[in-house]
Every structure is written in structure tokens, then in C-alpha cells.
Amino acid sequence: MKRIVSALMTASLIAIPVTPAFALTNHATVKEKAQELASKIVSDYDVSGLQYAIMDHGSIVLSDSAGVYDKATKSPITKDTMFGIGSVSKTYVSAATMMLADANKIDIDKPLTTYIKDFKMADERYKKITPRMLMNHSSGLYGSHYPNSFLFNDNDTRNKDELLVKLQSENLKSNPGESSVYCNDGFQLLEILIERVSGLSYSEFLETYFSKPLHLTSTKTPRDSFDRDRLIKTYFPGINQALPVENANLIGSGGLYSTAEEVVKFAEVLIGNRTDILSEKSAKAMQSHEYRKGAWVTEETNTINYGLSWDAVRLAPFSDYGITALFKGGDTFMYHAALTTLPEHDISIAVLSSGGNGVYTSTFASNILLEYTRAKGIIKEILPEKTFEAPVKVDMPSDLLAYSGLYGTVGNTVNLEIKNGEIDLPTLAFGSLPPQKYVYTGNGQFKNNDGSATISFEQPKNGKTYLKLDAYTNTPGLGQTVLVNYEYQKLDSNPLNQSTKTVWEHRNGKNYYPLDEKITSMRYLLKALEVKNISVDINHGYASGTKIVDMNKAVNVVDIPITNGRDAFDLNFYNVDGTEHLMIDGQSYISEDAIQLIYEGNSSICIIPSTGRAVWYKINEKSANRVMTVETPASGGFAVYDAKGMVVNFSKASNNHSVVLPEGGMIVFGGNKGDVFKINLKNK
């Protein structure tokens, strides 16, 4: 989503007839395969609508959909139905950056401070960060500032507006350029860079330099004026109607809307076919194997290997066929997207969905693109999926016992013990692999019970020790995916003195509730995203994966390349009038100990304080099972959660201002300072 323009030329994208090469393919077979797989995703994987398109040598050769635009009316999806494309937006902001480089407006290897003078951090290493490092995820930034970014019917830019200020007090987790780990903030900074250098808002830049020359009428940002009814409807469990429009206001990293046809049209820019917009040299540079420059897994067969904004520049399984495939995926709360392109063959596919997750769109893209290349004769046949055998345990060398010990990832620590050639591991691969035992099979490797997942210990050139996973996972009915990733980093124990232990032990297991998140935030749909639970490993001196420094501070020490080191954070506790608060990423949270019970009488009011911060209440047995009706100001809203943290009602999503209160649950009110909520409780 963060793109920039340098060329002043505009040219029309002229549709041409289906090429002879495509005419020789079995179009019907590809279309039937796509429709069959799309229908399965819609029926089996909680996807309300799916849209996809293939472009071959500049022509749309397949454009179709499955599911519905609106569940209530069952109206169909058309080629003009718009979706959020999430992080596929990163290819736009990166192309825009490279366009500025084409025009000699910037040098992507000069310090970012050259172009954003007020970019400063507490860590002096920030001066070495370059635009290239933002695009290849090697800046060393912690990762993402999500608060107040995903909003219902609200295109507030405060997330971007506050980013530079928040970064001023933050550190880096690694030396710039040393290793690449997925980082949204980098692309937000590119958006700012584009605005500073071009003198245009990012939305204006996209419209002027991409949408006009490419004739894109459906590629928009939340800041643009367009008919929001063109966006496919989105849904959430427990809310009985379509949700309001999602605005992903981290525009540079994930905020664009588009259609599948327009995404594949933009892919022509990315693969060097629109040199009037982006030079072939810059398109090639974006496809470079940037991941090899820093610490990385040794294996080449993978679904993640970063270029400049690309998630993969050597995407499996296409690499098994000797085909270069580029891939970028995207996920927001409600939308999912995949763009896969074969630059040497001028073929691209885009898949967009409402609901589900990114695994489904990316798997669909790979499956259908393989079918298309087979139909065209580019490949002779589609290779069978990998098969595995149960592992045969062998004697383990004693020196591997040294890998036992404390390991961490962002958010938690685990104590791993290797015993008798076996190791018990928690959930891995983003939840795809359940907790299970791995046994030693030789060559420094341990395998799971069916042999599909292999773990080992590796020390890349950054000198740190990681637990590495090499796994093939299956999504029923959709196919197989390979992932090679560093899952955990070996950590040193951090002994604490008794007074520090006592303070942190008191925090163990406690929840801290957000105060600064706007009530329009979609994060209120998932209490687990908003509420911070502190898990203290007191014996090793860590809290929620961070290393305890003193009674009130714990800092990130995790530096895991690829994905598992993303979105790191520090913990900073402080007191306000005797009430403990927590600061993370510049956002404040209040301890559960300070939250009052909702008044159990028939009538009460809640007033948003002069700070504008949210107000939380607990629900006890006296107010539970009663009907709460709230007279809510237009700028305000509230959410109610049950004892398990599931949302029972979120007024900004449901427009329902009456709810039965669940025992042991929570209520949050939010709005503008001084907003008054009139609360009525009555028996059912």
C-alpha cells in the first residue's frame, strides 16, 4: 500500500484479445478447477466471498468468483466488487519508492533520515536504517504499531500521525541490515517518505501515478472518496448482520482496497512490463534475493524468502519445477489476499476473500496457477504431494544435550528439555502443528510422529541459536504447504533479586485493559487482542517473553529472523494515583485490580474522562443476567464480553444498544471526552 511515483508519463492499458498461447490451453479445465476449489473454500472455511483473476501477457484470461456479496440478499460478487487487499498493499508503496529512485528523487541505500528529517529513535543505530531495509524487513524495528489502525467507518490517521513520535522513545531489536523479520512499521515509514519527497498525500500519489495510467477505478485507500457499497460485506461470529466498513488505516502497509482484476493489472508494473511507470531495472531489483543478505535458514525450498516487499521471490512449490514465482500475501481483520506472479512467463493471479484466512487465498493461487501452467504446457505434470514415514529413533550424540534450556519467542518463553533423544514441543507453525513429541533420527534432526515436521538447532551468521522447523502441513481439500522457519531463540537465564521477584510475581496472570484505543476499533471484536495478560517466568527472569530489567521494566531480547520475531514489545509499568498502569508501544493499559463493578442499580451513567480514555467495568452476579440498555452518544460506543473473553455485543459493529450481561464478563465504554452514557438495567 505504500507506493510512490517518479515517472510523469501516463499511458493507457489497452486490453488485447486472448493470446494464441492461451487459446491452445484447456481453458475449461482451469476454470472448472478454480470454481471447484473456490466453492470448497466458501463452503468449508468460513469464507463468504472469493474473487480471483489471471492475467497472461497483459490480458485477463480468467475472472470469476464464489460465494456472495451480501449474505442477506444473496446478491452475487461481480468483477467490480471491491475487497481489502491487506499487505499486498506493501508492493504498491515499494513500487512507489522505487519510482522515486528511478526519478533520482531518493537513493534507497542512503539513510532514511536523509528524507525524513524528524525520524529519530532512542537507539542510535536508527541512523543506519535505509529505505531498502524497510522494504526487505531488515531495519531492526520492533515491528508494528497496531493501535487505532483498524477502524469501523473511521479513516482517522492518528496511527500514522503518531508513529514518528512513538519511535523516538523506542529501541531496535537488531543491527540494521543484520536479519530480516516481517515489519509493518517499515512500510508506514515508506508512506511518510513518499509524502515528504513528492509533496502529495499518499492517496493522491497512488491516484496520480498508478490508478490514472493503469485505468484503475477500484484501487482506493480509506482516505479516498468512493462508493463504499462496492466493498463486499464482511461478517463476524455472534454478530447477526454485515459489519460496517473496515478501514485499515495503516495504508502503506495494508490499507488498500481493490479487485482481483486490478491487482493483476498492477502486477504488470511489478514484473517490469510497464516501464512507463516503473523501470525494468527497479522491477528486477524488487525481485532480488534480499533474504540471503542477513541471517536466514539454510534451506532454499520455502514459502518465505523476502525480496523488496515480496514475501517470496523463490516461492515453493514453483521452485520445484524450476519456475521463478513471486508472492505477496495480505491479511486484515476481515479481508485476505494473495498475489502470485511468474515474471518469466508474464502470468499473474490475484485471489481476494472476505472471511477465512491467508492460507486459503495463497493455496488457491498456487493450485490454480500450477493448473494453468500445466494447461499451457509450461510444466508437463503437477508433482504429487510429499509423503512421509514415521520416524525411526536412533541414538543421539550427547553434545546435543547442550541445546536444552530456555527459549523464547515474542510473547512467551519455554523451557525445552532434550531427554533420551526426545523433546516435547508446544504448538508450532502458527498453530498448524499441535503440541507433540519429536524423536532424534540422526544428522542433528528430530522428527514428529508422522515424519512431516523436522526440528533442528541452527546458528546463522548473527551468532544466535535457534530452534528451526522444516515442515509440510496440509489444509484438508486444499493441499500441502512447506514452511521452514526459526520458531524459538535460545535465551540466557536472568536471575532476579528477591524484591524484584516479589513485584513481578504479583503481576503473574493478571490482565491489563487498554485505555487509548478508539471505540471504533475493530480490535474490540477480539478481547484477546486488546487485553494484555502478563505471564511471568520468575525462575528465569522473563515476563511475556521480555527480559525483566527492574521492578517496572522488561525489554525485548528476541531477534528471530523471518516471522516469529515480528511485533516485539517492551513492558513499562507505572503508577497513577496508586493505580498500576502498563505502557506498550506508547499505549496505556490499566490493571484489572483497578476496574470497578458496573453499578447494579436500575440507572447509572458513565462519563468519558477529560483524557478521552476508555472506561472498563466488571460484571458480577448482581448485575449478571440482567438486560443492559445504553443511551449512547453518536461518538460513543460500548462492548460487552463474557467470562471467556468472547464478545457478546459491540455496539459499533452491531448497532445494538441492548444486551444481557454475562456473569464474570467485562464492559468497556469509549468515545470523546465528556461523552455521557445513560445506563439502564432491568430484569429479563
Side-chain angles (χ1 to χ4, degrees):
M1 135 134 71
K2 332 173 177 18
R3 290 189 275 168
I4 206 171
V5 224
S6 76
L8 297 177
M9 290 191 228
T10 59
S12 24
L13 183 62
I14 301 171
I16 58 175
V18 173
T19 62
F22 181 72
L24 295 174
T25 70
N26 188 342
H27 185 194
T29 300
V30 177
K31 184 173 183 178
E32 288 170 7
K33 172 79 173 178
Q35 191 54 237
E36 176 187 346
L37 194 57
S39 297
K40 182 168 188 62
I41 290 173
V42 168
S43 64
D44 294 358
Y45 289 103
D46 197 29
V47 171
S48 64
L50 190 81
Q51 184 192 66
Y52 50 93
I54 296 177
M55 177 169 275
D56 187 341
H57 287 81
S59 292
I60 300 290
V61 295
L62 178 63
S63 180
D64 210 340
S65 62
V68 294
Y69 158 81
D70 183 342
K71 288 182 178 181
T73 63
K74 302 199 183 311
S75 49
I77 297 166
T78 72
K79 67 183 182 64
D80 297 316
T81 301
M82 295 167 63
F83 294 69
I85 64 170
S87 286
V88 174
S89 304
K90 290 179 171 68
T91 63
Y92 293 71
V93 80
S94 296
T97 302
M98 299 303 289
M99 290 171 70
L100 290 181
D102 282 344
N104 295 317
K105 301 291 186 184
I106 68 166
D107 181 334
I108 66 169
D109 292 312
K110 281 191 174 180
L112 184 62
T113 53
T114 307
Y115 312 107
I116 307 177
K117 304 291 186 184
D118 49 339
F119 170 53
K120 293 179 173 63
M121 298 184 71
D123 189 323
E124 285 296 305
R125 293 176 294 175
Y126 82 92
K127 296 174 183 177
K128 297 180 180 179
I129 296 173
T130 65
R132 178 189 297 275
M133 294 172 188
L134 301 180
M135 289 187 281
N136 68 20
H137 302 281
S138 71
S139 65
L141 293 166
Y142 269 25
S144 307
H145 286 78
Y146 289 122
N148 296 308
S149 53
F150 293 91
L151 306 177
F152 280 130
N153 280 336
D154 183 351
N155 60 7
D156 189 343
T157 61
R158 72 171 61 182
N159 182 279
K160 186 190 79 172
D161 298 341
E162 295 173 351
L163 180 60
L164 291 175
V165 173
K166 289 182 176 179
L167 289 174
Q168 287 177 8
S169 62
E170 296 182 8
N171 294 301
L172 297 176
K173 62 187 173 191
S174 62
N175 293 321
E178 185 175 78
S179 61
S180 291
V181 56
Y182 201 84
C183 176
N184 282 304
D185 281 351
F187 295 85
Q188 290 291 91
L189 288 170
L190 289 175
E191 179 186 343
I192 294 170
L193 178 151
I194 289 163
E195 293 185 333
R196 297 286 178 88
V197 174
S198 71
L200 299 174
S201 74
Y202 183 58
S203 296
E204 290 170 336
F205 193 89
L206 295 180
E207 176 66 22
T208 304
Y209 295 105
F210 289 145
S211 293
K212 285 184 178 177
L214 291 169
H215 294 283
L216 306 179
T217 60
S218 302
T219 301
K220 303 293 182 181
T221 80
R223 302 297 294 172
D224 288 327
S225 296
F226 66 96
D227 181 5
R228 261 59 177 178
D229 285 337
R230 292 187 57 198
L231 288 164
I232 190 170
K233 303 298 184 184
T234 61
Y235 302 89
F236 190 82
I239 296 177
N240 297 324
Q241 72 265 5
L243 298 174
V245 168
E246 174 190 89
N247 291 275
N249 294 310
L250 315 93
I251 303 178
S253 61
L256 290 188
Y257 308 108
S258 193
T259 65
E261 287 194 7
E262 291 201 356
V263 172
V264 290
K265 285 180 182 178
F266 181 71
E268 292 288 283
V269 174
L270 298 173
I271 61 177
N273 290 346
R274 289 300 301 262
T275 54
D276 57 313
I277 297 175
L278 181 68
S279 72
E280 185 176 0
K281 177 184 177 182
S282 286
K284 286 288 187 185
M286 290 180 68
Q287 301 168 31
S288 61
H289 291 213
E290 295 284 317
Y291 64 98
R292 290 176 174 164
K293 294 179 177 179
W296 200 263
V297 292
T298 50
E299 288 77 4
E300 286 290 315
T301 299
N302 205 353
T303 46
I304 306 175
N305 29 59
Y306 299 135
L308 297 180
S309 81
W310 291 106
D311 290 344
V313 292
R314 193 180 184 276
L315 178 67
F318 296 93
S319 55
D320 294 339
Y321 300 84
I323 296 174
T324 295
L326 313 174
F327 170 76
K328 185 72 192 86
D331 300 276
T332 67
F333 272 79
M334 299 302 160
Y335 297 116
H336 308 280
L339 170 62
T340 304
T341 185
L342 312 181
E344 294 161 355
H345 300 281
D346 283 353
I347 301 170
S348 301
I349 184 171
V351 187
L352 313 179
S353 79
S354 169
N357 68 49
V359 172
Y360 311 144
T361 51
S362 61
T363 304
F364 179 96
S366 289
N367 282 340
I368 302 309
L369 204 51
L370 280 175
E371 186 69 30
Y372 186 74
T373 55
R374 185 198 62 78
K376 284 197 69 168
I378 295 172
I379 62 175
K380 291 183 179 180
E381 60 182 357
I382 295 176
L383 300 173
E385 292 185 345
K386 305 286 185 184
T387 58
F388 305 94
E389 296 180 353
V392 176
K393 184 179 176 182
V394 301
D395 291 338
M396 186 189 77
S398 59
D399 59 346
L400 290 179
L401 293 173
Y403 288 112
S404 292
L406 179 68
Y407 286 76
T409 188
V410 173
N412 74 291
T413 53
V414 293
N415 195 48
L416 301 183
E417 182 181 10
I418 304 172
K419 190 175 181 180
N420 299 322
E422 298 179 352
I423 180 170
D424 288 311
L425 291 174
T427 298
L428 301 177
F430 312 111
S432 298
L433 292 170
Q436 58 189 298
K437 187 184 299 294
Y438 293 72
V439 301
Y440 187 72
T441 59
N443 298 317
Q445 298 179 337
F446 299 75
K447 293 184 181 293
N448 68 343
N449 57 9
D450 64 5
S452 64
T454 301
I455 65 148
S456 56
F457 297 91
E458 194 165 276
Q459 190 176 75
K461 53 189 175 184
N462 67 357
K464 296 177 173 63
T465 299
Y466 300 105
L467 183 146
K468 184 182 71 175
L469 172 71
D470 186 340
Y472 284 83
T473 60
N474 282 282
T475 305
L478 301 185
Q480 190 177 72
T481 302
V482 60
L483 174 67
V484 187
N485 201 21
Y486 290 135
E487 294 281 321
Y488 283 94
Q489 175 184 332
K490 200 169 194 301
L491 301 175
D492 294 327
S493 190
N494 176 39
L496 304 175
N497 61 45
Q498 188 54 53
S499 57
T500 302
K501 276 186 178 182
T502 300
V503 171
W504 283 92
E505 282 175 334
H506 182 69
R507 295 175 180 137
N508 187 33
K510 283 193 176 177
N511 289 324
Y512 292 76
Y513 290 80
L515 298 175
D516 300 325
E517 192 76 0
K518 294 189 72 174
I519 198 60
T520 52
S521 174
M522 299 176 69
R523 291 164 67 88
Y524 285 115
L525 287 171
L526 292 165
K527 181 167 169 270
L529 280 180
E530 279 295 88
V531 176
K532 305 301 181 186
N533 179 265
I534 304 301
S535 175
V536 181
D537 180 353
I538 205 69
N539 292 327
H540 294 103
Y542 287 79
S544 298
T546 59
K547 185 177 182 179
I548 296 171
V549 174
D550 57 34
M551 292 183 182
N552 292 311
K553 185 179 181 67
V555 299
N556 172 70
V557 289
V558 168
D559 175 19
I560 306 177
I562 312 177
T563 56
N564 278 11
R566 64 177 290 179
D567 302 340
F569 55 85
D570 298 335
L571 301 175
N572 290 282
F573 291 89
Y574 64 100
N575 272 274
V576 178
D577 298 328
T579 298
E580 184 165 78
H581 289 64
L582 168 64
M583 181 77 73
I584 301 178
D585 294 340
Q587 299 292 110
S588 290
Y589 298 77
I590 190 169
S591 169
E592 62 181 32
D593 294 342
I595 295 175
Q596 304 297 310
L597 294 171
I598 188 77
Y599 176 64
E600 65 265 20
N602 292 338
S603 299
S604 61
I605 63 171
C606 171
I607 303 175
I608 301 301
S610 59
T611 58
R613 288 181 161 176
V615 180
W616 289 83
Y617 293 102
K618 297 174 182 175
I619 303 167
N620 67 1
E621 67 280 358
K622 292 181 180 179
S623 53
N625 299 311
R626 301 181 73 193
V627 178
M628 181 180 78
T629 302
V630 183
E631 187 177 319
T632 307
S635 55
F638 66 93
V640 178
Y641 306 93
D642 66 19
K644 294 181 179 179
M646 301 302 294
V647 68
V648 175
N649 183 40
F650 177 24
S651 67
K652 284 295 184 181
S654 67
N655 202 31
N656 179 9
H657 296 264
S658 184
V659 61
V660 177
L661 297 182
E663 185 172 351
M666 301 289 294
I667 308 170
V668 59
F669 293 92
N672 294 336
K673 63 181 180 180
D675 276 353
V676 177
F677 298 81
K678 297 179 180 179
I679 304 165
N680 177 265
L681 286 181
K682 66 179 182 180
N683 296 329
K684 288 193 290 184

